[in-house]
Amino acid sequence: MSLSSSKKVVFLFLFSLLFTCGIAQPIMRIGVIADIQYADIEPAGTRFYRNSLKKLEDCVAELNREKVDFSVNLGDLVDRNPADLEAIMSRLRALHKPFYNTPGNHDYEGVDNNDQLYQRMGMPSSYYSFTNGNWTFIMLNTNEVASYANIKGTQLEQEHAELIQKIKERGRDNDRPWNGGVSKHQLKWLVKQLKKAQRKGQQVMVFTHHPLYPPFGATALNDQEILETLAGYACVKGVISGHHHTGEFGVYEGIPCITTEGMIETADTNAYGILEIYPEKFVLIGKGRTKSYEWELKPKAN
């Protein structure tokens, strides 16, 4: 190799090194999964229930290769049979890093003890939060107040009736039997979590099964109350939800609300994502059918 050629190689190496160093690296990478909805039954319409096992295996393998810091699952792990849950949990346990679940409406099918369901899903409680770095992640349970969630004879049954009445008075259409909401107690808990995060200078990402925004037939029963609560705190930077398999997006009071596509849909096209959080933005990198989004983390006035 000539001296000039050698200089060119060194120059190109240094240029490449400088360019690489100049690219911002995410401070956190998170796997995002929604609506696996596995069942050992024949397909129905666009839903290929058995195929979800292979899709989940491929998703887990990719998230491991990508070395995500942890993963979140936004509900509907199974479609209708509680016995199918272990097939999903065993595959999620193949993730090299922690994973966090919140239930979906289908997960309550055939269940008569909610606490046992949460235990089998590896959840510490019906709803909970955890921190990573300077971020707080809140796993709301939008199935807590729902006709399918074993609330008969409890205070939650009355709260459910009140939510349905409010929806009718507002002329809304999200009073569907597969939608649920959060209790008054959970809303109070949410306020405490947000106050604590804001006081500590933490940023907050909220995960739910039912979408919150824009308003349409698949959103949580008390979506408006939840949104108004979140909008009162500058620390809230986004909401990511499942349930609506085709996906959706909207912005409420400066808060981006992303509904991710469901894994159950289609015979062979997967759907999941990797959420990358940077100091100045977050990016959801969609895989398969899942759409990608990028959102700047602008300071927000209290």
Side-chain angles (χ1 to χ4, degrees):
M1 180 183 293
S2 67
L3 183 60
S4 59
S5 297
S6 177
K7 287 181 178 179
K8 286 180 181 178
V9 170
V10 172
F11 173 78
L12 289 172
F13 171 76
L14 292 174
F15 179 81
S16 174
L17 185 63
L18 288 170
F19 180 76
T20 302
C21 291
I23 297 175
Q25 298 297 310
I27 58 177
M28 203 181 311
R29 305 181 79 231
I30 305 162
V32 179
I33 308 169
D35 299 275
I36 302 164
Q37 218 164 312
Y38 167 68
D40 187 15
I41 57 175
E42 293 300 312
T46 60
R47 299 182 179 183
F48 290 76
Y49 302 96
R50 290 193 182 103
N51 297 24
S52 284
L53 285 186
K54 178 62 165 58
K55 289 181 183 178
L56 181 58
E57 289 169 359
D58 292 344
C59 167
V60 167
E62 176 69 8
L63 295 180
N64 284 337
R65 284 193 297 269
E66 291 284 347
K67 297 181 180 179
V68 298
D69 296 287
F70 61 89
S71 297
V72 293
N73 193 330
L74 303 178
D76 280 359
L77 283 71
V78 298
D79 184 74
R80 64 191 69 183
N81 188 347
D84 290 333
L85 184 59
E86 181 53 32
I88 298 302
M89 291 300 296
S90 66
R91 285 160 174 81
L92 289 174
R93 285 193 287 268
L95 285 163
H96 295 166
K97 295 297 180 71
F99 63 91
Y100 301 90
N101 283 324
T102 189
N105 51 296
H106 281 272
D107 296 318
Y108 291 84
E109 290 283 344
V111 170
D112 56 16
N113 186 313
N114 293 350
D115 288 337
Q116 287 182 4
L117 171 64
Y118 306 145
Q119 289 172 10
R120 292 186 66 202
M121 292 177 65
M123 298 165 53
S125 57
S126 171
Y127 45 89
Y128 58 100
S129 68
F130 59 95
T131 60
N132 190 305
N134 68 333
W135 281 80
T136 293
F137 299 95
I138 296 178
M139 306 291 281
L140 289 183
N141 185 356
T142 55
N143 305 276
E144 187 188 17
V145 183
S147 58
Y148 50 79
N150 303 303
I151 62 172
K152 190 173 179 59
T154 71
Q155 173 61 32
L156 296 180
E157 185 178 24
Q158 178 60 36
E159 289 192 32
H160 181 261
E162 292 171 1
L163 292 182
I164 297 299
Q165 182 60 34
K166 282 183 180 179
I167 289 171
K168 294 185 183 302
E169 291 172 356
R170 294 170 178 173
R172 299 281 304 281
D173 66 346
N174 59 322
D175 56 339
R176 311 292 177 85
W178 49 80
N179 291 342
V182 307
S183 67
K184 295 175 183 177
H185 187 273
Q186 188 175 170
L187 272 177
K188 290 179 180 177
W189 171 86
L190 175 60
V191 169
K192 289 181 180 178
Q193 297 298 306
L194 297 175
K195 285 182 176 178
K196 179 181 177 181
Q198 192 132 301
R199 185 175 66 250
K200 292 187 171 183
Q202 295 276 101
Q203 300 187 88
V204 174
M205 186 70 69
V206 178
F207 296 106
T208 69
H209 179 64
H210 295 87
L212 302 182
Y213 193 83
F216 62 108
T219 56
L221 297 178
N222 49 353
D223 52 1
Q224 190 63 41
E225 287 76 11
I226 301 170
L227 285 166
E228 288 172 358
T229 300
L230 297 177
Y233 295 86
C235 58
V236 178
K237 301 304 179 183
V239 178
I240 301 180
S241 310
H243 188 56
H244 185 55
H245 298 181
T246 57
E248 189 58 84
F249 178 79
V251 181
Y252 181 87
E253 300 278 331
I255 301 173
C257 299
I258 299 170
T259 303
T260 63
E261 288 71 13
M263 185 177 285
I264 181 64
E265 298 290 331
T266 80
D268 50 19
T269 304
N270 218 329
Y272 60 96
I274 296 176
L275 179 65
E276 293 189 337
I277 296 180
Y278 297 81
E280 75 289 347
K281 66 179 180 180
F282 71 77
V283 180
L284 178 61
I285 303 170
K287 303 288 185 176
R289 292 174 47 253
T290 298
K291 296 182 183 71
S292 297
Y293 299 91
E294 182 172 330
W295 191 262
E296 187 177 348
L297 295 174
K298 297 178 181 178
K300 179 181 167 186
N302 290 319

